[in-house]
Amino acid sequence: LRTTLLFLSPKGLYTAPDSCKGRCQEPYSPEDECHCNAECERHRNCCEDYYRHCREEGFSSSRDAITDEELLQVSEQLYKADHNKARPTDIAINPQYQASPDETGDQEDRSPQPLYKYVNEALFSKPTYASFIRLLDNYQRATGREEDVTAEELREQDIFLREVMKTELMKKLFAFLHKKNRYGSEQEFVADLKEMWFGLYSRGDGELDSSGFEHVFSGEVKKGKVSGFHNWIRFYLLEKQGVVNYFSHNFEGPWDTYPDVLGLQFSWDGFYKEVGSAFIGSSPEFEFGLYTLCFIARPGRACHLSLGGYSLSIQTYTWTKSTYGDGKMYIATAYVISS
């Protein structure tokens, strides 16, 4: 009878592999889909219900937990520290047609003019912009085709990371994460940024064909549709070349200065993007820093921030099919989800 009872133990038989119910503080196993021990926060591989089952007292009980209030405070600090953002005179946009929710999938060009009427390209000579732009041509956009990363491209990644880390914005982000014991040194932080953003994984048939940076900032094409592509600089440069065609927007943010936010419909060489949210006029380090903050603090969940007194949420997802280091997760995507 005892053997039967042990065999029927719910913990052994009925625990869901993607849940922490009955699994709190169990030892790490690389075979698990997600994890429920104290280290999972640092590695960003906790099950979604970790906080409900294993930390019922909530975020604020732990000295190193990042509270919702702290996210609002630090995001305002990063917003104020974005000294490289566009000034109102640097960009003129022409949003034209605003699509209703049931029109975003129509693939109909309702805006005859380009989105960007004018961009002061002197912005692009700033070190963070210049190093960012050099990264954009390093990728094959089609998933399923292995990326061939050259020594020069690896050097360009290092230059970009070096330039953004010189900014007050990224220094403030590191100071915050250091205080929260996520990183012991700036060197450790930069090394992790390189892995989480530029580390390659497979969205296709086992080919190392994608990375968080490629997906979010450069954009990909998967199953005949645009995937990712959430960056205004990339959009402007491709629209200028005539390979991106702006169709409409379904959302415009409340900001009367930059960065602002737009939800866009567009085609890229004939491939369609139904809703591509993007900051407009922000520096590369602002987007990079904000997405990093949310990926570390709220991986896989809505991350609620405040920018210039207005609320904004960012959604991130972890790439769950492969890891780096000691079970750390790559960035699958990051994008703005609301005003």
Side-chain angles (χ1 to χ4, degrees):
L1 181 61
R2 185 175 301 153
T3 304
T4 306
L5 285 172
L6 284 172
F7 177 72
L8 292 175
S9 161
K11 185 172 182 181
L13 201 58
Y14 297 116
T15 299
D18 59 352
S19 170
C20 281
K21 189 173 182 181
R23 292 178 54 205
C24 294
Q25 304 309 323
E26 73 175 11
Y28 170 81
S29 168
E31 295 177 1
D32 291 335
E33 286 186 26
C34 55
H35 306 282
C36 305
N37 55 46
E39 290 293 293
C40 73
E41 284 183 274
R42 187 163 65 87
H43 292 307
R44 302 183 295 278
N45 57 16
C46 300
C47 299
E48 284 193 16
D49 60 1
Y50 169 72
Y51 296 96
R52 187 164 79 248
H53 293 298
C54 306
R55 290 270 297 280
E56 292 178 4
E57 67 275 26
F59 281 110
S60 58
S61 64
S62 168
R63 183 171 51 87
D64 298 335
I66 298 172
T67 67
D68 290 345
E69 183 61 34
E70 284 172 329
L71 283 175
L72 298 177
Q73 292 169 357
V74 73
S75 55
E76 284 289 3
Q77 290 172 15
L78 299 183
Y79 179 77
K80 290 183 177 70
D82 189 12
H83 306 307
N84 286 326
K85 68 184 176 187
R87 297 163 301 178
T89 54
D90 286 329
I91 299 175
I93 60 172
N94 184 17
Q96 300 165 80
Y97 189 82
Q98 181 159 1
S100 64
D102 58 354
E103 290 176 322
T104 59
D106 288 352
Q107 303 192 33
E108 188 174 329
D109 184 358
R110 295 182 169 93
S111 301
Q113 302 300 316
L115 174 62
Y116 287 92
K117 291 198 286 189
Y118 169 76
V119 170
N120 176 11
E121 293 193 11
L123 281 171
F124 300 160
S125 63
K126 294 180 182 235
T128 57
Y129 285 81
S131 57
F132 173 82
I133 289 168
R134 281 196 292 272
L135 293 168
L136 295 175
D137 65 356
N138 290 353
Y139 301 102
Q140 301 186 60
R141 69 182 179 187
T143 57
R145 295 176 61 186
E146 182 141 5
E147 295 293 344
D148 180 20
V149 184
T150 66
E152 177 61 24
E153 289 170 354
L154 290 172
R155 194 155 47 245
E156 288 172 354
Q157 295 172 10
D158 290 334
I159 291 169
F160 172 71
L161 291 170
R162 187 165 68 240
E163 292 300 339
V164 296
M165 287 308 301
K166 291 177 184 176
T167 66
E168 181 189 345
L169 189 153
M170 289 298 287
K171 287 188 180 300
K172 280 185 179 295
L173 175 60
F174 167 69
F176 175 73
L177 295 172
H178 176 65
K179 181 183 172 187
K180 290 294 178 179
N181 284 325
R182 295 305 194 275
Y183 299 99
S185 67
E186 189 173 305
Q187 184 179 6
E188 182 190 347
F189 179 47
V190 172
D192 198 36
L193 286 173
K194 186 166 185 177
E195 288 287 356
M196 75 169 79
W197 278 107
F198 295 103
L200 293 173
Y201 50 79
S202 175
R203 288 184 194 264
D205 302 318
E207 306 286 349
L208 294 177
D209 60 351
S210 187
S211 68
F213 186 93
E214 177 186 5
H215 181 86
V216 172
F217 294 107
S218 183
E220 299 179 293
V221 171
K222 184 175 184 180
K223 296 180 179 176
K225 292 183 179 179
V226 177
S227 182
F229 197 143
H230 299 286
N231 179 255
W232 76 270
I233 300 168
R234 174 70 160 164
F235 189 100
Y236 165 75
L237 293 172
L238 291 181
E239 186 179 60
K240 184 182 174 185
Q241 292 172 26
V243 295
V244 157
N245 181 19
Y246 171 70
F247 282 17
S248 56
H249 70 287
N250 64 302
F251 172 80
E252 187 168 2
W255 295 270
D256 56 7
T257 184
Y258 296 116
D260 204 342
V261 174
L262 276 181
L264 308 171
Q265 289 71 53
F266 62 92
S267 73
W268 178 18
D269 269 344
F271 300 103
Y272 188 63
K273 181 72 174 180
E274 185 170 338
V275 180
S277 61
F279 287 105
I280 309 292
S282 59
S283 69
E285 61 266 28
F286 178 80
E287 290 178 79
F288 191 71
L290 228 57
Y291 291 149
T292 298
L293 169 67
C294 284
F295 183 65
I296 290 169
R298 301 288 186 271
R301 286 176 291 153
C303 175
H304 304 300
L305 308 177
S306 179
L307 304 180
Y310 293 102
S311 62
L312 171 138
S313 299
I314 286 172
Q315 177 73 46
T316 65
Y317 286 104
T318 57
W319 185 253
T320 58
K321 297 176 183 176
S322 56
T323 61
Y324 67 91
D326 185 15
K328 284 192 173 187
M329 297 289 192
Y330 297 106
I331 292 176
T333 192
Y335 52 90
V336 180
I337 55 173
S338 69
S339 65

